[in-house]
Amino acid sequence: LLDWVKYKGNPVLVPPPGIGVKDFRDPTTAWTGPQNGQWLLTIGSKIGKTGVALVYETSNFTSFKLLDGVLHAVPGTGMWECVDFYPVSTKKTNGLDTSYNGPGVKHVLKASLDDNKQDHYAIGTYDLAKNKWTPDNPELDCGIGLRLDYGKYYASKTFYDPKKERRVLWGWIGETDSESADLQKGWASVQSIPRTVLYDKKTGTHLLQWPVEEIESLRVGDPIVKQVDLQPGSIELLRVDSAAELDIEVSFEVDKVALQGIIEADHVGFSCSTSGGAASRGILGPFGVIVIADQTLSELTPVYFYISKGADGRAETHFCADQTRSSEAPGVGKQVYGSSVPVLDGEKHSMRLLVDHSIVESFAQGGRTV
């Protein structure tokens, strides 16, 4: 596919009446329809402030027909960019071809919200005959519920890898350096490390995202293994030759007796983004890993858990990444990112961090929250 001839009949897809030219973009990978030779694809749009996914059918990919209704729509979510739509298995541990449907299958609908530059997803059921997708939980609908990634992550797209039977996810990480700094570096923003995507059978509500196995081939030397007893307020130094590129896996075992006996009602409404970052200490956190730190700890990036627990005895775990002291450079983003993450009975608090020069990708509980 080195030489291409542009089709004389372009454009093959134009917005339907009532849809603006700029509010119609990013068609998905096509999947087979119920009729022989029929292909379907969805494209993002909006009607007023309602984000919508339109569905078109084609047999030749040069002429398209808009199907009646919409695949799905969510009021108040604005323009849906980079819509992604694909099946996940609720029973097996492999990815599925985009056209796969039937028993033991859920469908993921993902939209990049143009208004806030966030990638949201939801898990639900797809009725091929009715051209309708319905979320399992309306409170976790696409655009108002779960996000693929709670950091700087946008315009993602999956594809199916038939050789390894896996679904692979790519996403765009928009860096916040100035234009002059970008020119000096020689690039502006990056793609994320590719991730495999699976249905989280334990929760039934989340996806599991995990770095593709090929990343492990980049590891050199013997792993550095350390076990420590972390006391409140303590920092344990782990010496490595170079901190530019790291693959860190760590798990924490919380004292169950201490956890059961603690009530911290002041932090019931805890939120990573409004908490003040890792420097704000409570009874049940933060605990985690500090990366890209200098000798004086004037620059550092903590990635950590925090457990909030109210008078009702219910504990909620939060997974956060704190940029507030990541750089002394002015003008770059310095936010605290994160979200709550389900930690089920019998599970340790676990995380994996991929550190690559200016980027830290953080995966909690096997990729349940990123």
Side-chain angles (χ1 to χ4, degrees), residues 323-364:
Q323 287 186 323
T324 55
R325 289 187 288 166
S326 290
S327 174
E328 293 182 350
V332 296
K334 297 181 181 180
Q335 301 181 49
V336 183
Y337 294 112
S339 170
S340 61
V341 55
V343 179
L344 307 182
D345 290 342
E347 290 183 345
K348 295 182 180 180
H349 290 70
S350 64
M351 65 172 77
R352 182 178 177 186
L353 313 183
L354 296 180
V355 181
D356 186 9
H357 296 274
S358 64
I359 301 296
V360 182
E361 293 189 60
S362 313
F363 303 80

Side-chain angles (χ1 to χ4, degrees), residues 49-338:
K49 285 292 184 181
T50 297
V52 299
L54 307 171
V55 178
Y56 284 81
E57 66 171 353
T58 183
S59 60
N60 55 14
F61 290 90
T62 55
S63 59
F64 291 81
K65 178 187 175 183
L66 176 64
L67 297 187
D68 292 336
V70 297
L71 180 68
H72 194 59
V74 180
T77 55
M79 176 63 196
W80 282 7
E81 291 189 296
C82 303
V83 172
D84 203 5
F85 187 63
Y86 55 89
V88 288
S89 174
T90 61
K91 298 179 180 179
K92 300 179 181 179
T93 57
N94 58 278
L96 300 176
D97 180 88
T98 308
S99 295
Y100 197 93
N101 204 348
V105 170
K106 295 283 187 180
H107 272 75
V108 176
L109 177 64
K110 171 254 146 186
S112 299
L113 305 191
D114 191 28
D115 288 354
N116 59 18
K117 297 297 185 288
Q118 295 175 357
D119 273 22
H120 284 254
Y121 79 90
I123 300 171
T125 303
Y126 173 45
D127 188 325
L128 181 63
K130 294 182 179 179
N131 183 38
K132 285 291 180 184
W133 174 89
T134 305
D136 288 346
N137 183 351
E139 294 182 2
L140 297 177
D141 205 344
C142 190
I144 62 173
L146 300 171
R147 288 168 56 183
L148 276 180
D149 191 303
Y150 289 85
K152 289 279 287 184
Y153 189 87
Y154 192 64
S156 65
K157 183 71 178 75
T158 65
F159 69 89
Y160 177 65
D161 171 10
K163 186 174 181 180
K164 292 195 173 183
E165 294 187 321
R166 59 183 176 176
R167 182 156 292 273
V168 179
L169 171 69
W170 295 84
W172 173 59
I173 300 173
E175 297 179 293
T176 57
D177 293 308
S178 65
E179 185 177 349
S180 60
D182 286 338
L183 290 170
Q184 192 173 12
K185 288 187 305 181
W187 76 87
S189 303
V190 297
Q191 288 292 100
S192 67
I193 295 294
R195 307 169 182 175
T196 56
V197 179
L198 291 171
Y199 175 76
D200 184 4
K201 290 183 282 188
K202 290 183 178 180
T203 64
T205 55
H206 287 61
L207 294 176
L208 296 175
Q209 303 171 65
W210 200 246
V212 292
E213 61 184 6
E214 286 84 352
I215 295 301
E216 296 170 19
S217 68
L218 301 178
R219 296 172 177 172
V220 293
D222 295 326
I224 301 171
V225 180
K226 191 168 186 178
Q227 186 169 339
V228 296
D229 182 13
L230 289 172
Q231 298 300 315
S234 65
I235 295 178
E236 290 281 340
L237 181 64
L238 183 62
R239 297 188 181 278
V240 293
D241 293 334
S242 171
E245 294 174 304
L246 297 171
D247 188 348
I248 304 168
E249 295 189 47
V250 58
S251 63
F252 299 89
E253 195 163 1
V254 180
D255 189 318
K256 293 181 181 178
V257 176
L259 179 60
Q260 289 173 355
I262 289 174
I263 295 176
E264 194 178 31
D266 290 344
H267 285 78
V268 172
F270 182 91
S271 168
C272 292
S273 59
T274 61
S275 64
S280 299
R281 294 247 305 278
I283 301 174
L284 298 172
F287 56 95
V289 179
I290 294 172
V291 295
I292 317 184
D294 63 6
Q295 291 291 336
T296 63
L297 298 184
S298 61
E299 284 190 339
L300 49 83
T301 302
V303 180
Y304 56 94
F305 290 108
Y306 191 96
I307 304 173
S308 61
K309 189 178 178 187
D312 61 358
R314 193 176 74 88
E316 183 177 46
T317 298
H318 306 264
F319 184 55
C320 315
D322 182 1
Q323 287 186 323
T324 55
R325 289 187 288 166
S326 290
S327 174
E328 293 182 350
V332 296
K334 297 181 181 180
Q335 301 181 49
V336 183
Y337 294 112

